Every structure is written in C-alpha cells, then in structure tokens.
Amino acid sequence: ALTDRLQGIAKRLTGQGKLTPENIRESLRDVRRALLEADVEVAVARDLVARVEARAVGDEVLRSLTPGQQVVGIVREELESLLGHAPVTLAGSPHVPTVVLLAGLQGSGKTTFAGKLARWLGGRDKRVMLASADVHRPAAIDQLARLAGMAEAGFWRAPEGAAPEAIAGGALDEARRRGFDFLVLDSAGRLQIDEPMMAELETLRRASRAHQVLLVMDGMTGQEAVRVGRAFAGRVGVDGLVLTKMDGDARGGAALSLRQATGKPILFLGVGEKLDGLEAFDAARIAGRILG
Amino acid sequence: ALGRRGAIDEATRAALEEALLAADAGPAAAERLMDEAERRMRADPALDLRHALERGVAQLMGATRARFTPGAERPWVALLVGVNGVGKTTLAGKLAAGFARDGRSTLLVAADTFRAAATEQLEVWASRAGVELVRARDGADPAAVVHDGLSAALARGHEVVLVDTAGRLHTKRNLMAELEKVGRVCARLVPGSPHHVLLVLDATLGQNGLQQAREFQRATPITSLAITKLDGTARGGAVLAIADQLKLPVSVVGLGEGLDDWQPFDPEAFARGLFE
Ligand SMILES: Nc1nc2c(ncn2[C@@H]2O[C@H](COP(=O)(O)OP(=O)(O)OP(=O)(O)O)[C@@H](O)[C@H]2O)c(=O)[nH]1
Ligand SMILES: Nc1nc2c(ncn2[C@@H]2O[C@H](COP(=O)(O)OP(=O)(O)OP(=O)(O)O)[C@@H](O)[C@H]2O)c(=O)[nH]1
Ligand SMILES: [Mg+2]
Ligand SMILES: [Mg+2]
C-alpha cells in the first residue's frame, strides 16, 4: 500500500539524521513507484512527484522534526488537490430537457450508468427519459429498455434501422414533447482511434444538443486513461467524468490521470452492478484509496 | 533510443522503462525485464536494447504455450470467466464461430442470468456463428442453466460446449462462490470438466490484473487467459506479471467487435506490440 510505503519512507528519512535534498529525492523515487503500482499514469506520477519535491526540499521539511511525516502529508495534500475539492453536481441547464450524452470505450459501464443516473435523478424528483443510440452492440437497446423499466424512467425506442443521428434527434424531440427534465442518451462503446466512430460521436452531440458529455471509464483502467481521456476531450468535448466498477479493489489511479488529462470534474463513481450502485465523487476517499 | 546497442545510458534506459510502463507492465515487471535485457546485451553485444527486451517478453509469454483447442473429451467443455465488461460474451460468439467453421458441433450456453439482456446478446452471436444456444428457463440460476446445457450437449452429441458466464468482480465473495458451484456442476455432469477455463482480460487493464487472476484461480483453476480489445491502443501488459508470477499462459486475443476478430496468441507479435 502506498500509505505503508510512505510510512516506510518516512521512517527511513527521519532515521537518516541529516536530511538532504538528495535523500529526499531518493525517497521520492519510492513514491513514484508506489503511484505507478496504483495505476497513476507515468507523466502524471512524475508531475505529482515534482510538485511534492518542490515543497519537500523547502524549509517546511528540512526544519521539521519528523521530515518523513511531512513528506507523507505533502503527498496526500497534492493528491487531494489534484483530484479536486469542491463536490461538483451534474449541471442542469435552463433548457428542458437537460441532455446528457454518455461516451467511452467498449464495456466501460455506460449503459448501466444510464440506468443508475436515471434512478439517481428520479430520486431527486426529476423526470428522466432514456434513449440509446447504440445500433452496434447486439441487444444494447433491449438492455437499456430493461434498465429504464427498473429505474422507472421514460424510454423511447426509435424505429428499427434508424441511424444514430436520427435516434439522437428523435429522442430530443420526444423528451421535449413529453416535458422530461433530463434526457440521458447512451452511445456505443468506441475506440478513440476509430475515426468514423469518433465522427459519429460528434454527430450525436450535435444532433442531441447535449449540454453535458460524460466520459464513462472503467475504474481498473491502467495507463490508457490519459490517452483515452485526452482523445475524447479533444475530439468531442467532455464535461464530466464517471469512474465505474469502483466496488472492486483496483486502486483507481486512473481517476487522477483522467482528472489531470482533461481538467474536468469527476462527478460519479459506479460502485455496483445494481442501479443503486452509484455515489457522488469524494476526493478525500479516492485519494485515500490511491494511497492504499 | 530503443535501437541503441552496447552500453545503456540513463536516457535510453528511461525511455525504455517508460514504454514498458505505458504498456501497463507495472514497475516491478518493467524493472525485472530491463535488468534481464541488460544481462542479455552484455552476453551478446550485437543485440540492441529494444530487441533484447522483445526477446525477454516473448520468452516470458511463450514459456507456457496454450491453445484454446478441444481435447479428446466429448463433450469438451470450456468456461469463459472474468470481470464485468471485458468481452466474454463477444469472445464466446467468436470462438463458437471458429469451431463451427472447423466442422465441430458446438453449443453455446448462456449462463449469465443476472445482467439485463445478456441472453438476448448471446442469442445474436449464436445465430451469427450458426450454433445452437441453451438459455435459462424462467428464474433459473447459472448452475441450473449449466446443468441444462451440459445435459443437452450429452443428449445431442455436441463436440464443444462454450459456457458464457456473468461478469463478476473477484472481490465479490458470493459471486466467486457461484463460479465455484458452476465448476462443480460441470464436473458432476461431465467428469473432468470444465476442460478449459478461459479467464478473459481487457487490454486496458492496469495493475489490478494480478489480483484478478489470483482470485479467479481460487474459484476455478484457470487454464489460459484471453486478452481482448487489442485493436485499441492498450497493450495488455498486465499479463506480464500474471505470466511471471502465476505462470498462466495466454491462448487467444480479441481484435475487434466482429465475428472473425480474434487470433491465437502469438508471443513474438505481442512482444513487438509492446514497443511499437
Ligand atoms: N461491479 C460493477 N459492475 C458494473 C458497474 N458498472 C457497470 N458494471 C457492469 O459492467 C458490465 C458492462 O456494463 P455496460 O453498461 O454494458 O457497459 P457499456 O459501456 O454500456 O458497454 P458497451 O455498450 O459495450 O460499450 C456489465 O456487466 C455491468 O453490469 C459498477 O459500477 N460495478
Ligand atoms: N474493440 C473491441 N471491442 C470488443 C472486443 N471484445 C469485446 N468488445 C466489445 O466490448 C463490449 C463488451 O463486450 P461483452 O462481450 O458484452 O463483454 P462481457 O465480458 O460479456 O460483459 P459482461 O457480461 O457484462 O461482464 C462490447 O461492446 C463488445 O463489442 C475486442 O476485441 N475489441
Ligand atoms: Mg452499452
Ligand atoms: Mg457477457
């Protein structure tokens, strides 16, 4: 665990008597390694360690009676500040409906999250309509239809053979017509390097007039998080992040990487297979988890 | 930097370490592979760093060879297991199509009775692959479906049975117990089965992979691994630690969302892919 590792580093630093920038730098190598083991992306880890080092070689640590503990505290603080402090809520737009478009890699948990979000908003007295523009995955639309029923949300199904763009536009028309507060539009999983599919995503955004595009990412993602996050953010624009399957024991370094790469807030954590498995993001908890 | 021969300078070593880390090898495996590559280069001055590393990876991943190929047992029963969303159902369809094309009478069993539209999804794949499907009767649990599936296979003389199971996080004790039960049901109906347990891993998987493999191994002995979504930018380096520490081989890789998008695992191609 990074915390144990940091405690070890702390003991060693304090036990070394004379504290120098050199021995601090060496212990920071351990910190970098521990971050990599937690799936923090290489450049993000290097960046975080550089911030810690800048503070650690200052008087704050060199003069401290427990320099080791000081360094540990600095790591924790920098981690939390990078993850973002203020709890961010899903921005409702003044227009009705607020349109939320879900995007991400294959299997990241988008469809399940659509159901969870519908239930979450429903519990806050919002009327939610779900629709799926996923014409690629077998039975994807059936999957969402079933979840809509379980979430007690509205569901609209386009005529058989409708193209994604038509589905997006049709869903918006339907949600407006029936006065829903939110339209949550599910999309097919796609690779960020699949040009036609990224173009499709841009089309979905335009046709649905999406107010929020949420990037849904698997919490056990490794080094890919930055590359994927940057590509989606750069290509179609991302307004918020969702990390799923955080009910597992993956350390979740992807959270830090994604936040650094996109600068966008993490809104939700998926914490279970059922529709009640959804939590608002809590930076302190995730920092603690990455730290181990 | 990756093509440099002779002595390795710090910049070269760093660039190389970065490539391994970016591929999800993790710091421990990256360090081990680097040290080993340096030894290899000292023994053979004609070798450059990149090739020394590729050789090391190919050797590690090729140490235990595994094919996802039916043995002599009839029916030959395989289970696809793994955490949520990695590509089990899709892979089951692809593999079934391959066996059917080879002229083997193949049966798919839809043992995911939990997730919304899981059976419908596998139904589409079964029809694309041209194979029969056994699905749950109303309210049945996975063990019951597997029981029905194997009974049908025995009765109809199927050569191959591919059981698609529900995604499950290895941290869920009850779901891992369910998997153990499925294994026992197989053995009762077809002694010696399941003959192959395929643990499916997503190429984007980070350092949690080793823990996943360890836990699944405790529920049902894993025969081989599959790495899916290698058509993306992810390299699947998480399998390096699993190969090193658990000696589990990779048999199959997924390369897309179509019926034919899979290949037998090739250690050399995998090794090259890490540094491309
Ligand atoms: N344990 C757990 N499982 C989850 C969570 N979110 C989603 N899942 C599961 O992950 C798997 C994939 O979820 P989907 O919602 O189908 O993922 P998707 O992104 O829509 O997949 P594609 O449409 O194929 O790209 C399913 O088995 C879900 O039940 C979560 O927070 N925790
Ligand atoms: N690009 C790519 N996508 C894949 C590959 N294999 C599967 N997928 C996609 O990944 C998503 C999830 O695949 P599934 O087969 O539903 O995964 P699963 O493991 O059965 O999911 P659960 O049963 O919910 O745990 C789907 O959108 C598939 O099309 C692959 O090799 N490459
Ligand atoms: Mg989906
Ligand atoms: Mg499945």
Side-chain angles (χ1 to χ4, degrees):
Chain A
L2 181 43
T3 310
D4 298 336
R5 183 72 64 84
L6 290 178
Q7 296 305 338
I9 292 166
K11 283 211 189 76
R12 229 175 311 125
L13 266 183
T14 306
Q16 250 160 29
K18 175 108 183 57
L19 201 64
T20 65
E22 284 66 42
N23 58 33
I24 288 184
R25 195 159 299 133
E26 218 203 274
S27 62
L28 290 179
R29 264 202 287 277
D30 283 340
V31 172
R32 175 175 170 264
R33 183 182 181 112
L35 289 170
L36 292 174
E37 286 168 357
D39 284 328
V40 177
E41 196 260 357
V42 172
V44 174
R46 191 168 46 227
D47 209 58
L48 175 59
V49 169
R51 287 170 194 245
V52 171
E53 180 172 16
R55 287 179 59 188
V57 294
D59 282 352
E60 163 185 15
V61 173
L62 294 177
R63 290 240 190 94
S64 165
L65 289 176
T66 56
Q69 287 303 334
Q70 206 72 25
V71 172
V72 173
I74 292 170
V75 175
R76 202 178 260 286
E77 279 174 25
E78 288 300 321
L79 196 52
E80 275 196 45
S81 106
L82 281 177
L83 284 170
H85 286 301
V88 184
T89 51
L90 186 65
S93 97
H95 300 110
V96 168
T98 299
V99 180
V100 180
L101 172 64
L102 304 181
L105 297 178
Q106 289 87 347
S108 64
K110 299 174 292 299
T111 304
T112 306
F113 174 68
K116 289 176 176 181
L117 183 57
R119 183 182 176 281
W120 173 279
L121 292 169
R124 286 153 178 78
D125 293 324
K126 303 292 185 211
R127 288 188 60 237
V128 185
M129 191 181 104
L130 293 174
S132 170
D134 185 353
V135 302
H136 304 278
R137 169 171 158 157
I141 302 180
D142 293 333
Q143 183 186 3
L144 188 62
R146 199 147 313 165
L147 295 180
M150 288 157 60
E152 302 188 340
F155 182 75
W156 177 78
R157 188 187 288 260
E160 185 74 36
E165 183 170 7
I167 296 173
L172 178 58
D173 291 344
E174 182 73 1
R176 274 180 180 154
R177 195 176 68 77
R178 291 167 57 192
F180 282 98
D181 300 309
F182 279 87
L183 163 62
V184 179
L185 184 62
D186 186 19
S187 73
R190 69 202 67 222
L191 298 175
Q192 82 279 10
I193 53 171
D194 185 336
E195 186 40 46
M197 286 301 282
M198 292 307 280
E200 181 200 271
L201 188 59
E202 276 187 305
T203 301
L204 287 180
R205 175 175 205 148
R206 256 190 301 105
S208 67
R209 311 279 170 97
H211 300 103
Q212 292 267 313
V213 175
L214 301 186
L215 178 61
V216 178
M217 185 154 305
D218 191 322
M220 28 185 155
T221 305
Q223 298 290 308
E224 283 296 290
V226 166
R227 202 174 343 200
V228 172
R230 277 210 188 105
F232 275 85
R235 189 63 202 279
V236 73
V238 167
D239 300 290
L241 308 165
V242 177
L243 271 145
T244 63
K245 308 174 203 173
M246 294 299 276
D247 43 321
D249 57 5
R251 301 274 292 285
L256 184 64
S257 306
L258 262 188
R259 178 101 180 90
Q260 270 290 70
T262 64
K264 298 301 175 186
I266 300 171
L267 298 179
F268 292 105
L269 297 178
V271 291
E273 292 189 71
K274 303 212 183 85
L275 294 193
D276 58 3
L278 192 66
E279 280 176 5
F281 178 67
D282 180 328
R285 289 249 316 277
I286 293 302
R289 179 179 178 138
I290 293 174
L291 287 173
Chain B
L2 287 184
R4 204 85 73 79
R5 289 160 197 251
I8 305 170
D9 62 47
E10 193 45 47
T12 305
R13 196 173 207 286
L16 214 55
E17 185 198 35
E18 196 121 330
L20 277 171
L21 292 175
D24 284 309
E31 192 171 62
R32 195 182 144 293
L33 285 166
M34 297 269 273
D35 290 344
E36 186 205 47
E38 284 177 333
R39 281 201 301 278
R40 207 175 244 114
M41 282 176 72
R42 278 195 287 276
D44 178 1
L47 206 55
D48 69 45
L49 192 48
R50 173 177 177 156
H51 288 104
L53 271 170
E54 283 181 6
R55 203 169 287 187
V57 171
Q59 220 171 65
L60 172 62
M61 297 311 298
T64 336
R65 286 282 173 149
R67 292 252 161 277
F68 189 77
T69 304
E73 304 88 347
R74 291 286 173 275
W76 183 79
V77 181
L79 296 187
L80 285 94
V81 305
V83 302
N84 308 71
V86 296
K88 300 175 294 299
T89 302
T90 306
L91 186 58
K94 292 170 178 175
L95 295 170
F99 290 137
R101 196 171 311 127
D102 293 343
R104 298 179 191 270
S105 162
T106 304
L107 182 70
L108 276 169
V109 178
D112 180 353
T113 57
F114 170 75
R115 209 208 67 212
T119 302
E120 287 81 343
Q121 183 187 8
L122 192 59
E123 270 174 355
V124 173
W125 283 111
S127 123
R128 285 177 183 176
V131 306
E132 286 179 59
L133 176 76
V134 167
R135 66 181 69 77
R137 285 173 286 145
D138 242 7
D141 75 349
V145 189
V146 171
H147 185 281
D148 289 352
L150 294 189
S151 305
L154 287 164
R156 300 175 206 167
H158 285 296
E159 216 177 309
V160 175
V161 182
L162 300 180
V163 180
D164 178 27
T165 68
R168 71 200 67 226
L169 292 185
H170 53 284
T171 46
K172 309 271 163 104
R173 191 73 283 271
N174 61 324
L175 297 182
M176 297 310 282
E178 178 186 272
L179 194 57
E180 290 178 44
K181 185 172 178 197
V182 164
R184 288 195 298 273
V185 168
C186 286
R188 268 214 313 276
L189 267 146
V190 180
S193 79
H195 305 105
H196 199 116
V197 177
L198 185 63
L199 174 61
V200 184
L201 304 170
D202 192 315
T204 62
L205 177 61
Q207 296 310 295
N208 193 239
L210 187 57
Q211 196 53 18
Q212 277 182 30
R214 276 204 189 101
E215 290 303 318
F216 271 90
Q217 179 86 303
R218 291 192 351 186
T220 44
I222 303 298
T223 314
S224 75
L225 312 172
I227 310 171
T228 60
K229 309 177 195 173
L230 272 177
D231 47 318
T233 46
R235 297 279 178 258
V239 298
L240 292 168
I242 301 174
D244 186 32
Q245 302 206 23
L246 302 182
K247 311 293 181 243
L248 291 177
V250 179
S251 61
V252 163
V253 299
L255 298 164
E257 301 185 76
L259 198 64
D260 297 335
D261 292 333
W262 71 277
Q263 299 249 343
F265 179 69
D266 175 346
E268 278 78 22
F270 177 78
R272 282 194 303 275
L274 290 188
F275 300 103
E276 250 143 38

mmCIF file of all heavy atoms in Angstrom, chain A residues 96-129:
data_model
loop_
_atom_site.group_PDB
_atom_site.id
_atom_site.type_symbol
_atom_site.label_atom_id
_atom_site.label_comp_id
_atom_site.label_asym_id
_atom_site.label_seq_id
_atom_site.Cartn_x
_atom_site.Cartn_y
_atom_site.Cartn_z
ATOM 1 N N VAL A 96 -35.113 22.750 -21.115
ATOM 2 C CA VAL A 96 -35.727 21.466 -20.799
ATOM 3 C C VAL A 96 -35.871 20.691 -22.102
ATOM 4 O O VAL A 96 -36.444 21.200 -23.053
ATOM 5 C CB VAL A 96 -37.105 21.691 -20.141
ATOM 6 C CG1 VAL A 96 -37.879 20.380 -20.071
ATOM 7 C CG2 VAL A 96 -36.940 22.295 -18.763
ATOM 8 N N PRO A 97 -35.375 19.482 -22.189
ATOM 9 C CA PRO A 97 -34.659 18.777 -21.124
ATOM 10 C C PRO A 97 -33.175 19.114 -21.113
ATOM 11 O O PRO A 97 -32.634 19.576 -22.112
ATOM 12 C CB PRO A 97 -34.853 17.312 -21.517
ATOM 13 C CG PRO A 97 -34.850 17.354 -23.019
ATOM 14 C CD PRO A 97 -35.542 18.648 -23.394
ATOM 15 N N THR A 98 -32.508 18.883 -19.984
ATOM 16 C CA THR A 98 -31.043 18.876 -19.953
ATOM 17 C C THR A 98 -30.636 17.576 -20.630
ATOM 18 O O THR A 98 -31.147 16.509 -20.273
ATOM 19 C CB THR A 98 -30.504 18.886 -18.507
ATOM 20 O OG1 THR A 98 -30.950 20.070 -17.857
ATOM 21 C CG2 THR A 98 -28.991 18.836 -18.503
ATOM 22 N N VAL A 99 -29.771 17.678 -21.617
ATOM 23 C CA VAL A 99 -29.367 16.479 -22.348
ATOM 24 C C VAL A 99 -27.980 16.030 -21.907
ATOM 25 O O VAL A 99 -27.018 16.804 -21.964
ATOM 26 C CB VAL A 99 -29.366 16.728 -23.873
ATOM 27 C CG1 VAL A 99 -28.944 15.455 -24.611
ATOM 28 C CG2 VAL A 99 -30.740 17.189 -24.342
ATOM 29 N N VAL A 100 -27.900 14.796 -21.445
ATOM 30 C CA VAL A 100 -26.624 14.212 -21.023
ATOM 31 C C VAL A 100 -26.284 13.084 -21.984
ATOM 32 O O VAL A 100 -27.056 12.133 -22.128
ATOM 33 C CB VAL A 100 -26.718 13.663 -19.582
ATOM 34 C CG1 VAL A 100 -25.381 13.047 -19.162
ATOM 35 C CG2 VAL A 100 -27.119 14.770 -18.609
ATOM 36 N N LEU A 101 -25.142 13.209 -22.653
ATOM 37 C CA LEU A 101 -24.690 12.183 -23.604
ATOM 38 C C LEU A 101 -23.560 11.388 -22.973
ATOM 39 O O LEU A 101 -22.614 11.968 -22.434
ATOM 40 C CB LEU A 101 -24.222 12.851 -24.901
ATOM 41 C CG LEU A 101 -23.538 11.973 -25.955
ATOM 42 C CD1 LEU A 101 -24.485 10.903 -26.501
ATOM 43 C CD2 LEU A 101 -23.018 12.846 -27.114
ATOM 44 N N LEU A 102 -23.677 10.067 -23.015
ATOM 45 C CA LEU A 102 -22.643 9.209 -22.417
ATOM 46 C C LEU A 102 -21.703 8.687 -23.495
ATOM 47 O O LEU A 102 -22.145 8.311 -24.586
ATOM 48 C CB LEU A 102 -23.292 8.019 -21.703
ATOM 49 C CG LEU A 102 -24.330 8.380 -20.635
ATOM 50 C CD1 LEU A 102 -24.874 7.112 -19.983
ATOM 51 C CD2 LEU A 102 -23.738 9.313 -19.582
ATOM 52 N N ALA A 103 -20.409 8.679 -23.182
ATOM 53 C CA ALA A 103 -19.409 8.201 -24.148
ATOM 54 C C ALA A 103 -18.306 7.444 -23.434
ATOM 55 O O ALA A 103 -18.098 7.612 -22.227
ATOM 56 C CB ALA A 103 -18.816 9.393 -24.911
ATOM 57 N N GLY A 104 -17.595 6.610 -24.186
ATOM 58 C CA GLY A 104 -16.475 5.887 -23.583
ATOM 59 C C GLY A 104 -16.104 4.652 -24.363
ATOM 60 O O GLY A 104 -16.731 4.319 -25.369
ATOM 61 N N LEU A 105 -15.080 3.966 -23.882
ATOM 62 C CA LEU A 105 -14.612 2.729 -24.519
ATOM 63 C C LEU A 105 -15.633 1.608 -24.345
ATOM 64 O O LEU A 105 -16.534 1.687 -23.514
ATOM 65 C CB LEU A 105 -13.290 2.279 -23.887
ATOM 66 C CG LEU A 105 -12.060 3.177 -24.021
ATOM 67 C CD1 LEU A 105 -10.888 2.559 -23.271
ATOM 68 C CD2 LEU A 105 -11.713 3.397 -25.484
ATOM 69 N N GLN A 106 -15.451 0.551 -25.112
ATOM 70 C CA GLN A 106 -16.329 -0.614 -25.019
ATOM 71 C C GLN A 106 -16.305 -1.206 -23.610
ATOM 72 O O GLN A 106 -15.238 -1.409 -23.025
ATOM 73 C CB GLN A 106 -15.870 -1.695 -26.005
ATOM 74 C CG GLN A 106 -16.119 -1.367 -27.461
ATOM 75 C CD GLN A 106 -14.993 -0.576 -28.119
ATOM 76 O OE1 GLN A 106 -14.103 -0.058 -27.444
ATOM 77 N NE2 GLN A 106 -15.068 -0.479 -29.437
ATOM 78 N N GLY A 107 -17.488 -1.518 -23.094
ATOM 79 C CA GLY A 107 -17.594 -2.233 -21.827
ATOM 80 C C GLY A 107 -17.323 -1.417 -20.579
ATOM 81 O O GLY A 107 -17.250 -1.980 -19.479
ATOM 82 N N SER A 108 -17.188 -0.085 -20.708
ATOM 83 C CA SER A 108 -16.826 0.734 -19.540
ATOM 84 C C SER A 108 -17.960 0.877 -18.526
ATOM 85 O O SER A 108 -17.716 1.258 -17.383
ATOM 86 C CB SER A 108 -16.345 2.118 -19.986
ATOM 87 O OG SER A 108 -17.394 2.824 -20.619
ATOM 88 N N GLY A 109 -19.190 0.607 -18.925
ATOM 89 C CA GLY A 109 -20.308 0.700 -17.989
ATOM 90 C C GLY A 109 -21.288 1.818 -18.302
ATOM 91 O O GLY A 109 -22.050 2.228 -17.427
ATOM 92 N N LYS A 110 -21.299 2.284 -19.543
ATOM 93 C CA LYS A 110 -22.166 3.410 -19.942
ATOM 94 C C LYS A 110 -23.656 3.085 -19.785
ATOM 95 O O LYS A 110 -24.412 3.862 -19.206
ATOM 96 C CB LYS A 110 -21.901 3.782 -21.407
ATOM 97 C CG LYS A 110 -20.475 4.231 -21.672
ATOM 98 C CD LYS A 110 -20.221 4.454 -23.153
ATOM 99 C CE LYS A 110 -20.246 3.161 -23.956
ATOM 100 N NZ LYS A 110 -19.211 2.195 -23.511
ATOM 101 N N THR A 111 -24.075 1.967 -20.366
ATOM 102 C CA THR A 111 -25.492 1.618 -20.365
ATOM 103 C C THR A 111 -26.002 1.447 -18.932
ATOM 104 O O THR A 111 -27.077 1.955 -18.579
ATOM 105 C CB THR A 111 -25.719 0.336 -21.195
ATOM 106 O OG1 THR A 111 -25.188 0.543 -22.510
ATOM 107 C CG2 THR A 111 -27.192 -0.012 -21.289
ATOM 108 N N THR A 112 -25.226 0.753 -18.120
ATOM 109 C CA THR A 112 -25.588 0.569 -16.717
ATOM 110 C C THR A 112 -25.650 1.921 -16.011
ATOM 111 O O THR A 112 -26.568 2.194 -15.229
ATOM 112 C CB THR A 112 -24.562 -0.340 -16.016
ATOM 113 O OG1 THR A 112 -24.436 -1.563 -16.760
ATOM 114 C CG2 THR A 112 -24.967 -0.656 -14.590
ATOM 115 N N PHE A 113 -24.679 2.791 -16.301
ATOM 116 C CA PHE A 113 -24.656 4.114 -15.679
ATOM 117 C C PHE A 113 -25.883 4.930 -16.094
ATOM 118 O O PHE A 113 -26.426 5.699 -15.299
ATOM 119 C CB PHE A 113 -23.365 4.872 -16.027
ATOM 120 C CG PHE A 113 -23.367 6.295 -15.529
ATOM 121 C CD1 PHE A 113 -23.315 6.576 -14.179
ATOM 122 C CD2 PHE A 113 -23.467 7.356 -16.433
ATOM 123 C CE1 PHE A 113 -23.346 7.898 -13.715
ATOM 124 C CE2 PHE A 113 -23.503 8.675 -15.983
ATOM 125 C CZ PHE A 113 -23.446 8.943 -14.620
ATOM 126 N N ALA A 114 -26.321 4.768 -17.323
ATOM 127 C CA ALA A 114 -27.514 5.491 -17.784
ATOM 128 C C ALA A 114 -28.694 5.147 -16.881
ATOM 129 O O ALA A 114 -29.447 6.025 -16.439
ATOM 130 C CB ALA A 114 -27.835 5.130 -19.242
ATOM 131 N N GLY A 115 -28.846 3.862 -16.577
ATOM 132 C CA GLY A 115 -29.918 3.426 -15.693
ATOM 133 C C GLY A 115 -29.733 3.977 -14.287
ATOM 134 O O GLY A 115 -30.683 4.422 -13.630
ATOM 135 N N LYS A 116 -28.485 3.935 -13.819
ATOM 136 C CA LYS A 116 -28.180 4.429 -12.469
ATOM 137 C C LYS A 116 -28.471 5.930 -12.366
ATOM 138 O O LYS A 116 -29.033 6.411 -11.369
ATOM 139 C CB LYS A 116 -26.708 4.195 -12.145
ATOM 140 C CG LYS A 116 -26.330 2.743 -11.930
ATOM 141 C CD LYS A 116 -24.825 2.634 -11.715
ATOM 142 C CE LYS A 116 -24.403 1.197 -11.408
ATOM 143 N NZ LYS A 116 -22.943 1.109 -11.169
ATOM 144 N N LEU A 117 -28.071 6.671 -13.401
ATOM 145 C CA LEU A 117 -28.267 8.120 -13.386
ATOM 146 C C LEU A 117 -29.763 8.445 -13.399
ATOM 147 O O LEU A 117 -30.219 9.361 -12.709
ATOM 148 C CB LEU A 117 -27.559 8.763 -14.584
ATOM 149 C CG LEU A 117 -27.605 10.290 -14.666
ATOM 150 C CD1 LEU A 117 -27.027 10.927 -13.396
ATOM 151 C CD2 LEU A 117 -26.837 10.778 -15.884
ATOM 152 N N ALA A 118 -30.516 7.671 -14.179
ATOM 153 C CA ALA A 118 -31.964 7.873 -14.239
ATOM 154 C C ALA A 118 -32.588 7.664 -12.861
ATOM 155 O O ALA A 118 -33.449 8.427 -12.421
ATOM 156 C CB ALA A 118 -32.593 6.925 -15.255
ATOM 157 N N ARG A 119 -32.130 6.641 -12.175
ATOM 158 C CA ARG A 119 -32.653 6.342 -10.833
ATOM 159 C C ARG A 119 -32.241 7.440 -9.852
ATOM 160 O O ARG A 119 -33.046 7.881 -9.018
ATOM 161 C CB ARG A 119 -32.125 4.983 -10.372
ATOM 162 C CG ARG A 119 -32.662 4.542 -9.020
ATOM 163 C CD ARG A 119 -32.044 3.214 -8.614
ATOM 164 N NE ARG A 119 -32.465 2.813 -7.284
ATOM 165 C CZ ARG A 119 -31.951 3.293 -6.164
ATOM 166 N NH1 ARG A 119 -30.990 4.199 -6.217
ATOM 167 N NH2 ARG A 119 -32.400 2.871 -4.983
ATOM 168 N N TRP A 120 -30.985 7.892 -9.970
ATOM 169 C CA TRP A 120 -30.448 8.936 -9.089
ATOM 170 C C TRP A 120 -31.260 10.223 -9.229
ATOM 171 O O TRP A 120 -31.686 10.840 -8.257
ATOM 172 C CB TRP A 120 -28.986 9.169 -9.468
ATOM 173 C CG TRP A 120 -28.275 10.305 -8.813
ATOM 174 C CD1 TRP A 120 -28.324 11.632 -9.158
ATOM 175 C CD2 TRP A 120 -27.363 10.231 -7.716
ATOM 176 N NE1 TRP A 120 -27.505 12.377 -8.344
ATOM 177 C CE2 TRP A 120 -26.906 11.545 -7.453
ATOM 178 C CE3 TRP A 120 -26.885 9.173 -6.926
ATOM 179 C CZ2 TRP A 120 -25.992 11.834 -6.435
ATOM 180 C CZ3 TRP A 120 -25.970 9.457 -5.928
ATOM 181 C CH2 TRP A 120 -25.538 10.778 -5.679
ATOM 182 N N LEU A 121 -31.463 10.621 -10.491
ATOM 183 C CA LEU A 121 -32.199 11.857 -10.752
ATOM 184 C C LEU A 121 -33.670 11.693 -10.379
ATOM 185 O O LEU A 121 -34.305 12.610 -9.865
ATOM 186 C CB LEU A 121 -32.051 12.247 -12.232
ATOM 187 C CG LEU A 121 -30.630 12.675 -12.652
ATOM 188 C CD1 LEU A 121 -30.532 12.781 -14.176
ATOM 189 C CD2 LEU A 121 -30.261 14.003 -12.000
ATOM 190 N N GLY A 122 -34.216 10.493 -10.656
ATOM 191 C CA GLY A 122 -35.604 10.209 -10.302
ATOM 192 C C GLY A 122 -35.838 10.353 -8.805
ATOM 193 O O GLY A 122 -36.871 10.865 -8.358
ATOM 194 N N GLY A 123 -34.838 9.924 -8.037
ATOM 195 C CA GLY A 123 -34.927 10.037 -6.582
ATOM 196 C C GLY A 123 -34.882 11.492 -6.125
ATOM 197 O O GLY A 123 -35.191 11.809 -4.978
ATOM 198 N N ARG A 124 -34.466 12.374 -7.015
ATOM 199 C CA ARG A 124 -34.432 13.810 -6.701
ATOM 200 C C ARG A 124 -35.545 14.527 -7.452
ATOM 201 O O ARG A 124 -35.442 15.707 -7.805
ATOM 202 C CB ARG A 124 -33.045 14.378 -7.056
ATOM 203 C CG ARG A 124 -31.990 13.950 -6.040
ATOM 204 C CD ARG A 124 -30.584 13.897 -6.608
ATOM 205 N NE ARG A 124 -29.623 13.527 -5.575
ATOM 206 C CZ ARG A 124 -29.441 12.286 -5.134
ATOM 207 N NH1 ARG A 124 -30.144 11.289 -5.639
ATOM 208 N NH2 ARG A 124 -28.545 12.029 -4.177
ATOM 209 N N ASP A 125 -36.606 13.764 -7.714
ATOM 210 C CA ASP A 125 -37.826 14.293 -8.349
ATOM 211 C C ASP A 125 -37.639 14.869 -9.741
ATOM 212 O O ASP A 125 -38.371 15.779 -10.134
ATOM 213 C CB ASP A 125 -38.485 15.357 -7.444
ATOM 214 C CG ASP A 125 -39.019 14.709 -6.173
ATOM 215 O OD1 ASP A 125 -39.498 13.553 -6.274
ATOM 216 O OD2 ASP A 125 -38.941 15.331 -5.105
ATOM 217 N N LYS A 126 -36.655 14.348 -10.455
ATOM 218 C CA LYS A 126 -36.509 14.767 -11.858
ATOM 219 C C LYS A 126 -37.152 13.705 -12.754
ATOM 220 O O LYS A 126 -37.029 12.502 -12.480
ATOM 221 C CB LYS A 126 -35.012 14.883 -12.239
ATOM 222 C CG LYS A 126 -34.226 15.835 -11.366
ATOM 223 C CD LYS A 126 -34.655 17.266 -11.585
ATOM 224 C CE LYS A 126 -33.772 18.201 -10.783
ATOM 225 N NZ LYS A 126 -34.528 19.413 -10.351
ATOM 226 N N ARG A 127 -37.812 14.131 -13.815
ATOM 227 C CA ARG A 127 -38.369 13.161 -14.775
ATOM 228 C C ARG A 127 -37.320 12.924 -15.844
ATOM 229 O O ARG A 127 -36.861 13.851 -16.517
ATOM 230 C CB ARG A 127 -39.661 13.715 -15.387
ATOM 231 C CG ARG A 127 -40.823 13.712 -14.389
ATOM 232 C CD ARG A 127 -42.145 14.077 -15.067
ATOM 233 N NE ARG A 127 -42.505 13.141 -16.128
ATOM 234 C CZ ARG A 127 -42.724 13.502 -17.404
ATOM 235 N NH1 ARG A 127 -42.597 14.769 -17.774
ATOM 236 N NH2 ARG A 127 -43.055 12.599 -18.301
ATOM 237 N N VAL A 128 -36.925 11.665 -15.964
ATOM 238 C CA VAL A 128 -35.828 11.321 -16.857
ATOM 239 C C VAL A 128 -36.281 10.426 -17.997
ATOM 240 O O VAL A 128 -37.056 9.472 -17.779
ATOM 241 C CB VAL A 128 -34.712 10.582 -16.066
ATOM 242 C CG1 VAL A 128 -33.503 10.314 -16.964
ATOM 243 C CG2 VAL A 128 -34.302 11.388 -14.840
ATOM 244 N N MET A 129 -35.811 10.716 -19.185
ATOM 245 C CA MET A 129 -36.060 9.831 -20.317
ATOM 246 C C MET A 129 -34.730 9.232 -20.784
ATOM 247 O O MET A 129 -33.718 9.936 -20.858
ATOM 248 C CB MET A 129 -36.702 10.581 -21.496
ATOM 249 C CG MET A 129 -37.213 9.629 -22.570
ATOM 250 S SD MET A 129 -37.928 10.494 -23.974
ATOM 251 C CE MET A 129 -36.590 10.302 -25.145
#
